[in-house]
Amino acid sequence: MGIEKTLSIIKPDGVRRNLVGKILSRFEEKNLRIVCTKMIHLSKSQAEGFYAIHSERPFFEELTTFMSSGPVVVSILEGENAVLHHREIMGATNPDDAEPGTIRGDFAESLGENTVHGSDSLENAIIECSYFFSETEIVNSTS
Ligand code: CMP
């Protein structure tokens, strides 16, 4: 618990449907602060590196092809209990199980194209944040 940082990605389906502002607003409205953000179009190998933990899964090819199919918005969000809080705002991974009012419950169309990604633990948040951002890019939110 306490103040944490977590990695948040708006996936290609979210960017394609012009949902960036709406999704980032939901995080801000729920007390998560954007401490750095950028839009990037991942190469296939960048997507494979990011999701290396899933490399043996049957959906790895589909996942990495989708994640490199168009631009994404990657952000580091900071706040109280940010890893879990962010996951609650996103809702369940499979939109069929996601509650209305969560991002996936409201916007996601399938398990593969589920609009957002978030770190699943503090340990992975540190790894995932450093995959996309250097220390000098992360603003000090108290300054
Ligand atoms: P994410 O939170 O980005 O973490 C890994 C992603 O793999 C997950 O969201 C889903 O979008 C995707 N995923 C998980 N299971 C499947 C599956 N059975 N088929 C396709 N994609 C999946």
Side-chain angles (χ1 to χ4, degrees), residues 7-115:
L7 187 82
S8 179
I9 305 180
I10 303 176
K11 296 188 178 187
D13 63 304
V15 175
R16 213 172 272 139
R17 287 182 289 151
N18 225 12
L19 295 170
V20 173
K22 264 188 192 138
I23 290 172
L24 292 179
S25 294
R26 288 191 178 205
F27 298 137
E28 291 186 324
E29 281 159 8
K30 295 189 169 122
N31 291 324
L32 290 175
R33 181 172 290 276
I34 300 164
V35 293
C36 50
T37 190
K38 61 187 169 190
M39 182 179 282
I40 49 175
H41 191 150
L42 296 175
S43 66
K44 182 76 157 59
S45 69
Q46 282 175 310
E48 287 168 355
F50 181 73
Y51 280 115
I53 197 167
H54 295 305
S55 62
E56 300 304 316
R57 304 285 193 96
F59 56 83
F60 184 65
E61 178 59 30
E62 179 189 328
L63 173 63
T64 54
T65 297
F66 168 61
M67 288 300 289
S68 56
S69 69
V72 299
V73 173
V74 291
S75 308
I76 297 180
L77 305 177
E78 184 183 78
E80 185 71 29
N81 203 17
V83 174
L84 184 62
H85 188 37
H86 178 235
R87 292 181 71 76
E88 287 168 352
I89 298 167
M90 290 192 300
T93 305
N94 188 336
D96 291 343
D97 303 326
E99 297 290 331
T102 65
I103 293 168
R104 287 167 174 156
D106 292 348
F107 301 124
E109 289 175 334
S110 68
L111 175 57
E113 302 200 7
N114 62 352
T115 315

